[in-house]
Each structure stands twice: as C-alpha cells, then as structure tokens.
Amino acid sequence: RQAKHSKIIENAHRINHGEMPFLKNEWGDFFFFPAKEPSQICSMVLELVTQRIPEKFKFDARKEIQVLAPMRRGECGIDQLNATLQNHFHNNGPKDGPFVVNDKVIQMKNNYQKEVFNGDIGFVRIIDSENGTICVEFDERHVVYDSSDMDQLALAWAVSIHKYQGSEAPCVVIPLNWGKHHHQAQSFQNEFALDVFADGERVSHAVSLADDGILEVSFRIDPGEYEVLVKEAPLGERKES
C-alpha cells in the first residue's frame, strides 16, 4: 500500500479533477525532470532506467522498471525507446530477427490456445533459429512461438500507457513529447490519469520527463495562471511500502 503522503496518490486526485499535478521534487515517490528536445528525453530515459533509478532505489532495470509512452512514433516514441533500450541491454550485439535472448516482450492479442492474453509481459528465454521458434517465459510458465504466431509479440522495454492498463510495476518512467502531434495532448489527460496515477496502488515510484508546456496543454491550464516550479533534483531513497 502507498505511503500516507504519497505524491503519486495526491497527483492522481488532482489529475482526475482536471488540475495540474504537483511537479516540485520534494517527496520520495514522484519525480519530474523538465526536458524539451526529444533526443534529450530519450537519452535521459536511458540513463534513468539503466543507471540512476537502479542505483538509488535498487530496482531491477529489466523487471521492475517500466517505460510508458503515449505515442509509438517519434524520436522518443515507443519504437525508438524500445530500440535504444534493447541495444543497451544487449550491448549492441547482433540480432537474427526482432528479438534476442532476455528481451522483454508483450503479448499484443489474446491467444486462448496458449493461455496468453493481451498485455501479458514476459521474457524471451530461448531462440531456436534452426526451427524458427522462440520460448517466452510468462510468470515462470514457458510458451513456445513459431512463425505462425510470433507476430503476436512486440518489444516491451517501452509500451503504451493504454496497453499497460491493469498491469503492475514498482517503478514507471513516463517520457512525454508531442512533436508534430500536439493535437493529441488533450486526450493524454485521460490516459495519464486513469491508466497510471489513478491506480496509484500499483506503482510505488514514478518518474516523468516532459516539456512543462506539454503538461499545461494536456491539463488545460492557462500557462499564465501557473508557474512551473521544477528543478532537476537528485532522486530520493527508495521507500518501503
């Protein structure tokens, strides 16, 4: 259960009431890092996921930290973040196909025969290039895929906020940058509130990176009425639940 004074829970209530979330880095479970350029955001995500958060909070970068993004395309969209994180975790090694051993993957549609369902996340454990199959571990249960159903899997180092609804992670990292798709900013408010913060009991720590102007548009706040008081503060110590 969340700590009594969790900023995640407080921000959940503020977002659900159409109010700007608190962004000042004062408490130990939510952190905001201002970043404007997509390339800067992507680099910061890599550093946070692979270095800073594991060092401070002792989270497992592969299993306990989940990157959530609102869009698939763009320099800091889901596709680019997946490629960046996959290359890091596998030391930019050679690939024979879309996946490598120990990749984090997500099931994209229900497969009743395999008893694997839309949104389930697992890890690739075996790649049999000779037979064209891969074995994925879902909660200690191993499922084999071949060419007929391998397209039901996608990389899951980064996933959409919508796709992750109902799932759990001790820590989420949420990069936000609209680029040419600023018209989608208003729809972000509902996803962000309902799928991440509003279910705050499922998340113990959250880190967001964004241009503060994006948040003002997303939550329909007049920039003249809100002074953003944020600075890049060091991440706090991991709190026990």
Side-chain angles (χ1 to χ4, degrees), residues 93-200:
K95 293 192 302 179
D96 182 16
F99 309 119
V100 295
V101 173
N102 293 326
D103 258 340
K104 182 191 287 188
V105 294
I106 185 169
Q107 178 77 16
M108 300 299 289
K109 61 186 294 187
N110 292 332
N111 188 319
Y112 297 100
Q113 183 177 1
K114 294 183 183 296
E115 297 184 348
V116 183
F117 303 100
N118 185 21
D120 285 354
I121 288 180
F123 291 86
V124 176
R125 296 308 186 199
I126 299 173
I127 296 179
D128 185 342
S129 300
E130 182 176 348
N131 294 309
T133 63
I134 66 172
C135 179
V136 180
E137 180 183 4
F138 294 97
D139 294 326
E140 300 184 354
R141 189 171 68 90
H142 291 79
V143 180
V144 176
Y145 292 79
D146 58 27
S147 59
S148 69
D149 51 19
M150 203 178 299
D151 61 353
Q152 296 178 11
L153 296 170
L155 285 173
W157 300 115
V159 300
S160 70
I161 294 172
H162 176 73
K163 180 66 73 173
Y164 205 67
Q165 183 178 3
S167 298
E168 299 183 19
C171 179
V172 295
V173 176
I174 310 166
L176 303 172
N177 184 278
W178 300 114
K180 299 178 181 179
H181 304 281
H182 56 84
H183 59 282
Q184 296 182 7
Q186 290 184 349
S187 66
F188 158 74
Q189 178 181 354
N190 290 333
E191 279 198 358
F192 197 67
L194 295 177
D195 297 347
V196 182
F197 283 115
D199 200 9

Side-chain angles (χ1 to χ4, degrees), residues 15-26:
I15 292 170
N16 282 327
H17 287 89
E19 300 174 3
M20 191 74 171
F22 288 122
L23 302 180
K24 194 172 182 180
N25 291 325
E26 294 177 331

